[in-house]
Amino acid sequence: MTPPPVTGKPKSSLLDRVSSPADIRDFSIEELEQLTHEVRQEMIQSVSFTGGHLGAGLGVAELTVALHHIFDTPRDRLIWDVGHQAYPHKILTGRRNRMRTMRQGGGLSGFTRRSESEYDPFGAGHSSTSISAALGMAVARDLKGATNNVIAVIGDGAMSAGQAYEAMNNAGAAGSRLIVILNDNDMSIAPPVGALSAHLSRLLSSPSYHSLRHLVKDLAHLLPPPLERAMGRAEEYARGMVSGGGTLFEELGFYYVGPIDGHNFEHLLPVLKNVRDSDETRPVLLHVVTKKGRGYPPAEAAADKYHGVGRFDVLTGQLEKPKANAPSYTSVFSKALIAEAEVDDRVVAITAAMPAGTGLDKFGDRFPARTFDVGIAEQHAVTFAGGLATEGFKPFCAIYSSFLQRAYDQVQHDVVLQRLPVRFAIDRAGLVGADGATHAGSYDMAFLGCLPDIVIMCPSDEAELMHAVATAVAIDDRPSAFRYPRGEGVGIELPERGSVMPIGKGRVVREGNRVAILSLGTRLAEVLKASDELAARGMAPTVVDARFMKPLDEDLILRLAREHEVLITVEEGSVGGFASHVLHLLASKGALDRGLKVRPLALPDVFVEHDAPTVQYEKIGLNASGIVATVLATLGETRAAVNA
């Protein structure tokens, strides 16, 4: 079935008549096809304005419409894994008029969110959680004696994570009725699909087949055990022959149906209806094949199918490229790691399904045999890196800060406890803008800083990042980590290769008096702006780039405490991070006994909503203006008083 072209006005707008999924329950197939076309147009127009995840949503437009047509949402719980796929779902569930606020300050989230809509029964931002959540809801339904359906839609990429299989294994044993839809959106698992596969899927999911199957099983129970077992094996083997696969899912305890064409309503609707009305007591897995980027030629032609895009021109698909003033931190990390690997063949790189996002795609182009993408499996990535380290290699495990949370036990038990020299390259540290709280790198300093014998570096600019990479290569006796933000650097000149820094030593950037500002990470640029303003007011502060969160430069910090009235710490991490370690040092050494005033500036103890990063940092006082205000308030001054 060829989708209608994206451009051009529909003959009449069905989408204007849809305020909730209930409005499409009596639509004909022709109307559902037109509605799907309009949903695609709406999504393309919206994302062209806001940026976001486009390809996955384009691929599930028919599936989304079909699910809301067949199932009684929100009574029937519909869970979208990750949320990349959920834009058509948002359009159909009363949020169409707010789609152009998505990922903007005060607007819709780019992911599903419980507080946003009753049609979002579970929030998502990280991958592979849908089946676990759905099973919890299904068991809760059974305990309450309710009869609603629970449906999880999970992409085949998300099936590379262990949690998905842990959940399926549990679901197969639990015996609660659950529907899992595997959205196979790049043909990575499915054989060719067509009319025969659709016919067999309708057959296997039909009440008549289930009745016959139960009759066969009932008869088998009357036979001697060897014949009973043989009949059971024959029945499952026959199902495997006609259905085209599903053996793994059957072994996990699921009733497998598919694969079917996820863009054909004549295939989708009867199978979904059969699955909905089935008396099958086992959980069901429906295998649906879709094409990422479907219905928008520029997305279909792109290598990444417009998985995640910025703003673009709808007619041409041309992406807007903001004028870059400096290289991104991610690209600088890639450059630095390649430079180190050129001279040390023990340097290897590991990513958990984010080669482009972490910059390791470039490393992989240069060193394909030394680059490992392990899939959406952060736990495995960390322990795998530990294994490489035991054999003398120098593994760099590049994982976003918010994704590293998923592998904390492996960091602690498999790496740090064994003092293995794994190097953690922590991308997306601090606030991340439009992706919001699900992807903010808020907690890595707190959860890594409490672990013994790990070196933690926080470079203040892109040149310092190159030095951190070189230093990590040189640290061979313990684990290390360095963190850096999303986005551009400050435009500083870069060396060809980084230099090894003395471990646990900061650097004094400016000498001053009365006030010392101890900065960790890339807020240093804002600290220097604040320092200029304070100097203009006659109170030039001492500015220090701490460089290391662990080990602390104790001598330097204690000197700052002795020689200044006020000590301000600045960091892009949560409470419990750098300032906590500094205060512990000062308290234990008696440095607070003489009246030193300490003011920690860190991320607040709340989830910071999505917005432009500059706006996020302004709201929480981690910009130059906020730093100046903190200094003045600590000294008992105000801007007005100083200006008088």
Side-chain angles (χ1 to χ4, degrees):
M1 182 183 298
T2 303
V6 168
T7 56
K9 189 175 181 180
K11 51 189 176 184
S12 64
S13 177
L14 288 176
L15 191 54
D16 287 343
R17 293 162 40 191
V18 177
S19 59
S20 76
D23 296 327
I24 72 172
R25 302 268 154 78
D26 61 352
F27 276 19
S28 67
I29 286 182
E30 182 182 12
E31 288 173 317
L32 294 175
E33 288 173 347
Q34 181 181 330
L35 177 65
T36 302
H37 167 57
E38 294 178 28
V39 166
R40 274 200 176 94
Q41 284 188 309
E42 187 74 28
M43 182 170 52
I44 291 164
Q45 292 288 344
S46 297
V47 177
S48 74
F49 179 78
T50 65
H53 295 98
L54 182 62
L58 291 172
V60 295
E62 287 89 357
L63 177 60
T64 306
V65 169
L67 286 168
H68 282 299
H69 174 75
I70 293 293
F71 289 95
D72 184 22
T73 53
R75 178 178 173 272
D76 288 338
R77 310 292 193 245
L78 178 57
I79 305 165
W80 295 93
D81 207 282
V82 183
H84 296 165
Q85 311 171 82
Y87 291 11
H89 163 79
K90 292 192 180 219
I91 291 169
L92 292 173
T93 53
R95 288 169 275 185
R96 177 192 178 191
N97 292 336
R98 298 188 65 208
M99 288 300 289
R100 292 198 178 199
T101 72
M102 193 163 54
R103 296 161 50 85
Q104 315 297 306
L108 294 177
S109 169
F111 307 98
T112 54
R113 193 174 195 179
R114 282 173 53 81
S115 62
E116 193 174 283
S117 172
E118 63 178 337
Y119 291 92
D120 292 358
F122 199 78
H126 294 182
S127 169
S128 315
T129 61
S130 61
I131 304 175
S132 299
L135 178 59
M137 293 178 193
V139 170
R141 172 203 61 204
D142 296 344
L143 291 172
K144 292 188 292 186
T147 58
N148 60 289
N149 293 287
V150 181
I151 309 104
V153 184
I154 182 168
D156 59 335
M159 291 296 286
S160 67
Q163 183 176 351
Y165 293 96
E166 292 171 11
M168 293 186 74
N169 184 54
N170 187 196
S176 288
R177 190 167 179 278
L178 170 68
I179 300 167
V180 174
I181 297 177
L182 172 58
N183 172 30
D184 181 0
N185 61 17
D186 64 0
M187 298 293 287
S188 61
I189 325 174
V193 297
L196 177 60
S197 176
H199 171 73
L200 293 172
S201 295
R202 285 197 296 272
L203 171 65
L204 293 173
S205 62
S206 66
S208 58
Y209 178 84
H210 284 275
S211 298
L212 177 62
R213 186 165 176 264
H214 286 304
L215 175 61
V216 170
K217 289 195 171 184
D218 289 341
L219 289 173
H221 288 314
L222 301 177
L223 298 174
L227 290 177
E228 179 186 357
R229 289 193 296 270
M231 184 171 283
R233 286 196 300 271
E235 189 267 348
E236 295 298 341
Y237 179 74
R239 286 195 64 246
M241 289 287 288
V242 299
S243 69
T247 304
L248 170 63
F249 305 117
E250 291 280 349
E251 291 294 332
L252 288 169
F254 275 69
Y255 185 84
Y256 174 86
V257 177
I260 63 170
D261 184 349
H263 301 297
N264 190 326
F265 283 111
E266 292 179 354
H267 295 182
L268 275 174
L269 298 181
V271 173
L272 287 173
K273 185 176 184 300
N274 285 341
V275 169
R276 181 195 67 188
D277 299 337
S278 169
D279 60 358
E280 175 65 51
T281 57
R282 289 191 294 170
V284 175
L285 185 132
L286 174 59
H287 185 170
V288 175
V289 177
T290 63
K291 289 184 66 176
K292 200 170 182 178
R294 170 85 167 189
Y296 185 47
E300 291 180 339
D304 67 348
K305 308 302 179 188
Y306 280 24
H307 171 74
V309 293
R311 296 174 61 146
F312 61 91
D313 180 85
V314 172
L315 291 177
T316 65
Q318 185 68 39
L319 299 176
E320 278 189 18
K321 293 187 178 178
K323 191 172 182 180
N325 297 314
S328 71
Y329 281 99
T330 300
S331 66
V332 171
F333 160 66
S334 178
K335 167 186 166 71
L337 192 61
I338 290 171
E340 297 301 324
E342 294 281 6
V343 297
D344 190 337
D345 61 10
R346 293 173 297 167
V347 172
V348 296
I350 302 152
T351 175
M354 299 297 293
T358 59
L360 290 188
D361 53 344
K362 302 291 191 300
F363 186 91
D365 291 342
R366 178 66 185 85
F367 304 106
R370 291 154 63 182
T371 308
F372 306 94
D373 184 347
V374 302
I376 303 174
E378 291 86 2
Q379 293 173 301
H380 165 60
V382 171
T383 305
F384 172 61
L388 283 162
T390 65
E391 297 296 323
F393 282 87
K394 298 184 175 184
F396 280 75
C397 197
I399 301 178
Y400 289 5
S401 172
S402 63
F403 296 165
L404 187 60
Q405 296 161 185
R406 308 181 73 168
Y408 188 55
D409 181 65
Q410 286 69 30
V411 172
Q412 185 272 332
H413 184 272
D414 297 342
V415 173
V416 179
L417 182 63
Q418 301 187 73
R419 206 178 168 94
L420 294 175
V422 173
R423 291 88 174 160
F424 294 101
I426 305 175
D427 203 329
R428 270 55 169 184
L431 302 178
V432 293
D435 281 339
T438 60
H439 286 60
S442 305
Y443 311 110
D444 55 85
M445 285 197 288
F447 70 66
L448 291 178
C450 63
L451 300 177
D453 294 325
I454 182 171
V455 175
I456 303 173
M457 295 170 275
C458 302
S460 56
D461 57 42
E462 54 269 48
E464 286 286 301
L465 174 55
M466 294 193 72
H467 300 325
V469 173
T471 305
V473 172
I475 298 173
D476 252 341
D477 61 342
R478 56 188 143 164
S480 59
F482 51 94
R483 68 193 306 265
Y484 46 96
R486 181 178 189 170
E488 297 176 1
V490 298
I492 196 168
E493 186 176 350
L494 297 177
E496 286 300 311
R497 186 180 170 202
S499 302
V500 176
M501 299 182 291
I503 302 298
K505 294 298 179 184
R507 62 187 181 114
V508 177
V509 181
R510 293 179 182 175
E511 288 282 6
N513 53 62
R514 292 192 69 190
V515 176
I517 305 177
L518 179 60
S519 177
L520 183 72
T522 57
R523 288 289 92 192
L524 180 63
E526 292 296 312
V527 168
L528 292 174
K529 291 179 186 176
S531 173
D532 290 339
E533 182 174 340
L534 291 167
R537 298 169 184 273
M539 50 182 75
T542 297
V543 175
V544 172
D545 177 10
R547 279 183 160 177
F548 291 82
M549 185 232 174
K550 196 169 187 179
L552 293 174
D553 190 338
E554 296 189 359
D555 292 340
L556 177 55
I557 294 171
L558 292 173
R559 178 174 79 80
L560 296 177
R562 287 193 305 271
E563 297 177 0
H564 299 81
E565 300 172 34
V566 173
L567 176 62
I568 309 289
T569 64
V570 180
E571 62 188 296
E572 298 159 301
S574 68
V575 175
F578 177 59
S580 299
H581 287 253
V582 171
L583 282 164
H584 182 84
L585 169 68
L586 295 173
S588 63
K589 297 295 186 181
L592 299 175
D593 300 350
R594 296 182 294 275
L596 175 69
K597 296 178 180 178
V598 181
R599 298 293 184 270
L601 292 179
L603 298 184
D605 195 25
V606 297
F607 292 112
V608 179
E609 293 294 322
H610 55 273
D611 209 325
T614 53
V615 175
Q616 289 179 315
Y617 282 115
E618 179 181 5
K619 285 180 178 178
I620 64 174
L622 268 179
N623 64 350
S625 178
I627 294 165
V628 169
T630 298
V631 170
L632 295 179
T634 307
L635 291 172
E637 306 274 4
T638 65
R639 278 191 165 89
V642 173
N643 288 331

